[in-house]
Amino acid sequence: MALLEKVSQSSALHPKPVGLVLQYGTAGFRTNAKQLDHIMFRMGLLAALRSKKTKSTIGVMVTASHNPEEDNGVKLIDPMGEMVTPAWEEHATRLANAEQEALVMALNDIIEMEAINLNQDASVFIGKDTRPSSETLSQAVLDGVSSLGGHGCDYGLLTTPQLHFMVCCKNTQNRYGNATVEGYYKKLSRAFIQLTKHASNRTDDQKHLLVDGANGIGALKMREMEHFLQKELQISLHNDGSQGKLNFQCGADYVKVQQKPPEGIKMSAGERCCSFDGDADRIVYYFIDSAGRFHLLDGDKIATLISMYLKELLTQAGLDLQVAVVQTAYANGSSTRFLEETMKVTVRCEKTGVKHLHHAAQQFDIGVYFEANGHGTVLFSKAAEERIQQLTADPNTNDEKKSAAVLLENTVNLINQTVGDAISDMLLIEAVLAIRGMTVQQWDAIYTDLPNRQLKVKVADRRVIETTDAERRAVSPAGLQEAIDTLVKKYQKSRAFVRPSGTEDVVRVYAEADTQENADKLAHEVSVAVYKLAGGVGEEPKPFH
């Protein structure tokens, strides 16, 4: 009990504002940084308990990703570098919202429920992004870890995927790589250099890439990584944090939502550009054509490029492994059709949220998953990795098969399989384009996106909307899905769906159709149906101009 007495005393230094309620969501806790001190301390406690329970190292990342600079947040990382298991998300919410005097009781309940031995050692890795608030907030995490007798290892400034990587390395006894930032750079750059050796006659022009670092941690880490790449990739880094605000008018989320280049980057026609988000776990590509039109290559285009490349290599290697692409309802209909009808790839649709996609991707030999926002990665089953390794090691493998197997082996090493990783994804995309001798324009031309529109409708209570079929159909309120079906029938190549926001009382509306005008009309009409049938507040949605 002496240990919990110590927790009680330490927690008084990180008091919870009375009545404040926060939910551990898809992205952990995320809100204005001023409200997070008690949350960080308590997540330090929870990480120590999770470590004692699993007898392994747990990660705690202090970041609010693509949110504005004044926000911050925290997410927990499980032993294999994956997101924390759902049962522990509930523990996190309960612990975060316990009033000060009830904290020890809430902690005790978790200890009893999970049968945790408090005498077990605890090890927690902590990383943080570049926000001004991250320094003091990560210290609060460390305070929480140490008050339960755990050992906290502070890695300082890291991208979110780097911390996921290092937690996995530590718990696999460095079989996945070395649990250091340098270990991360070395593993990825070595694989990238090996892959690009197979690209014939790459010019300096083809090696050049413009990168928008969102004025965040990704820019800082790209600078550190550059010399490991040995000029095989020549990066012009913009929005590198030396001036300008984190995620302000730059970064992957801004580019995706605004459908235009970030501020602070001068692009020539046809030049390849990409943007990271604030903690470097998302990426989108884009270019401007000779007529000055903007072209976005989002998560759907990335997943298509990668799965085409993998499928070709598997055919060359003579490996019968199933490649599947996991998407959400937001995936553009053109991408789904191209994957299913032209490429004959299995496509699975899952609920929005990376944890749902990650889990689904684990069910295939090779699972490629990307949300349209650019967050994603590729997962290889243990059996798939072993078959690739056997092929490269077999002296009887013919040259063509061996060459394809070696490419596959290096591809596996280039991918951060723990989580979506902007740096790893960028290197993979660059390697694929180089090996296939493709320009960004040729990549974009694989299929043409259907015009689409996303809107949101304010409602009194978002919980009135309930969905099924991976959020593609509404089951309540009564009459809403029928209204949507009727509206969709008015337009060619159209579809629309609605889903409640995970964070605010709004309903998100998505529509696509054969023309932008029709997509805009359909989105507006569905918004009005939501407003009328789901308790809209404020003014009725106006037509989109």
Side-chain angles (χ1 to χ4, degrees):
M1 258 351 258
L3 196 57
L4 293 185
E5 197 54 49
K6 188 184 172 193
V7 168
S8 187
Q9 288 166 4
S10 302
S11 78
L13 303 172
H14 302 278
K16 173 187 178 294
V18 177
L20 177 68
V21 175
L22 293 171
Q23 179 83 24
Y24 193 101
T26 313
F29 291 108
R30 214 179 267 188
T31 187
N32 187 287
K34 292 189 177 81
Q35 299 187 314
L36 283 170
D37 181 66
H38 71 292
I39 294 277
M40 296 296 172
F41 174 77
R42 293 169 185 208
M43 289 310 100
L45 297 175
L46 193 68
L49 290 184
R50 182 78 180 140
S51 176
K52 289 173 191 280
K53 164 82 178 179
T54 58
K55 299 187 170 77
S56 52
T57 296
I58 296 298
V60 179
M61 184 68 200
V62 177
T63 181
S65 186
H66 56 276
N67 279 38
E69 191 171 86
E70 52 277 11
D71 286 356
N72 217 321
V74 61
K75 34 194 172 185
L76 268 64
I77 299 167
D78 252 2
M80 286 301 106
E82 72 276 54
M83 292 176 181
V84 76
T85 188
W88 281 70
E89 289 182 3
E90 288 172 30
H91 294 334
T93 299
R94 173 139 190 242
L95 204 56
N97 295 324
E99 294 304 339
Q100 203 63 28
E101 61 282 1
L103 176 63
V104 170
M105 195 166 77
L107 209 55
N108 245 328
D109 287 347
I110 296 168
I111 292 164
E112 280 177 26
M113 205 184 303
E114 296 289 346
I116 293 165
N117 170 13
L118 282 181
N119 296 321
Q120 174 69 39
D121 289 339
S123 156
V124 179
F125 284 1
I126 296 144
K128 60 175 179 277
D129 70 12
T130 54
R131 291 162 199 272
S133 58
S134 291
E135 185 69 42
T136 52
L137 292 177
S138 63
Q139 185 53 54
V141 176
L142 286 161
D143 291 351
V145 174
S146 63
S147 73
L148 268 179
H151 175 69
C153 180
D154 184 3
Y155 274 95
L157 293 169
L158 289 179
T159 69
T160 295
Q162 285 176 333
L163 186 64
H164 282 260
F165 172 89
M166 294 197 296
V167 168
C168 181
C169 292
K170 176 69 176 171
N171 291 318
T172 55
Q173 287 71 52
N174 289 343
R175 281 193 302 279
Y176 190 66
N178 287 322
T180 61
V181 182
E182 191 164 303
Y184 170 91
Y185 295 146
K186 281 184 171 168
K187 182 182 179 184
L188 266 59
S189 51
R190 194 178 296 135
F192 177 74
I193 289 162
Q194 288 301 323
L195 279 173
T196 49
K197 277 183 183 161
H198 297 264
S200 51
N201 315 323
R202 265 172 93 220
T203 62
D204 278 356
D205 199 34
Q206 288 161 326
K207 291 178 185 181
H208 186 248
L209 176 69
L210 288 182
V211 177
D212 155 33
N215 289 316
I217 185 69
L220 214 65
K221 295 298 165 184
M222 264 330 300
R223 279 264 184 270
E224 290 176 8
M225 191 174 189
E226 269 179 308
H227 81 270
F228 290 93
L229 294 167
Q230 298 172 15
K231 298 209 163 62
E232 283 308 306
L233 188 61
Q234 291 158 24
I235 286 165
S236 291
L237 198 53
H238 301 263
N239 299 320
D240 64 356
S242 55
Q243 55 192 56
K245 211 171 163 187
L246 176 71
N247 293 326
F248 182 65
Q249 296 185 330
C250 60
D253 198 55
Y254 174 85
V255 172
K256 168 79 178 154
V257 173
Q258 302 297 329
Q259 301 274 324
K260 65 180 186 185
E263 298 294 317
I265 201 165
K266 285 195 169 46
M267 299 163 61
S268 311
E271 199 167 13
R272 265 191 341 281
C273 309
C274 68
S275 285
F276 299 165
D277 68 336
D279 66 337
D281 64 359
R282 291 184 186 184
I283 186 169
V284 293
Y285 267 69
Y286 45 93
F287 69 96
I288 284 171
D289 64 24
S290 51
R293 279 189 303 264
F294 175 79
H295 296 253
L296 178 73
L297 296 98
D298 61 6
D300 298 339
K301 291 258 174 171
I302 293 169
T304 306
L305 178 75
I306 292 169
S307 46
M308 280 177 83
Y309 162 77
L310 289 171
K311 214 166 172 233
E312 270 178 23
L313 284 182
L314 291 169
T315 304
Q316 279 170 24
L319 283 169
D320 181 24
L321 295 170
Q322 185 189 16
V323 179
V325 177
V326 185
Q327 299 182 323
T328 70
Y330 287 107
N332 195 280
S334 287
S335 74
T336 311
R337 263 194 291 280
F338 178 80
L339 287 162
E340 287 182 333
E341 293 168 17
T342 309
M343 283 186 56
K344 307 285 188 259
V345 165
T346 304
V347 178
R348 171 84 71 84
C349 185
E350 287 292 324
K351 276 173 73 174
T352 305
V354 180
K355 61 185 177 188
H356 303 300
L357 281 80
H358 192 92
H359 182 68
Q362 287 172 323
Q363 294 162 35
F364 300 97
D365 295 328
I366 301 173
V368 180
Y369 76 81
F370 275 86
E371 290 194 295
N373 63 26
H375 191 299
T377 188
V378 184
L379 304 184
F380 292 81
S381 69
K382 280 283 154 273
E385 286 194 22
E386 280 163 15
R387 286 184 62 190
I388 291 164
Q389 285 158 4
Q390 282 162 4
L391 202 57
T392 54
D394 184 354
N396 300 319
T397 306
N398 71 36
D399 286 353
E400 188 195 7
K401 285 185 176 178
K402 172 93 69 174
S403 167
V406 168
L407 280 171
L408 281 165
E409 200 167 44
N410 283 311
T411 302
V412 171
N413 287 328
L414 182 53
I415 292 164
N416 184 351
Q417 293 188 55
T418 64
V419 73
D421 181 343
I423 293 175
S424 162
D425 290 339
M426 174 193 79
L427 293 174
L428 177 61
I429 291 161
E430 289 301 308
V432 172
L433 292 176
I435 290 163
R436 292 177 61 113
M438 279 174 90
T439 63
V440 70
Q441 293 91 333
Q442 287 168 325
W443 170 21
D444 189 41
I446 292 172
Y447 66 82
T448 304
D449 276 330
L450 279 168
N452 57 83
R453 178 66 62 200
Q454 292 185 44
L455 298 174
K456 49 189 184 182
V457 184
K458 277 199 166 147
V459 290
D461 180 2
R462 66 182 185 271
R463 288 171 301 185
V464 301
I465 301 268
E466 288 179 37
T467 62
T468 185
D469 187 24
E471 302 180 308
R472 289 178 290 192
R473 295 190 69 76
V475 289
S476 76
L480 179 58
Q481 189 57 50
E482 291 79 0
I484 294 170
D485 291 342
T486 304
L487 293 168
V488 164
K489 283 185 186 135
K490 291 167 57 181
Y491 302 99
Q492 297 286 312
K493 294 184 180 172
S494 65
R495 68 183 182 103
F497 67 89
V498 300
R499 55 180 285 270
S501 161
T503 50
E504 51 185 330
D505 275 323
V506 299
V507 176
R508 300 192 186 281
V509 173
Y510 178 89
E512 64 188 26
D514 57 340
T515 66
Q516 190 61 57
E517 186 187 4
N518 285 345
D520 290 348
K521 276 186 189 166
L522 178 57
H524 169 248
E525 288 164 357
V526 171
S527 296
V528 172
V530 168
Y531 179 87
K532 287 178 174 169
L533 294 168
V537 295
E539 277 186 59
E540 184 175 303
K542 298 261 192 299
F544 190 86
H545 295 300

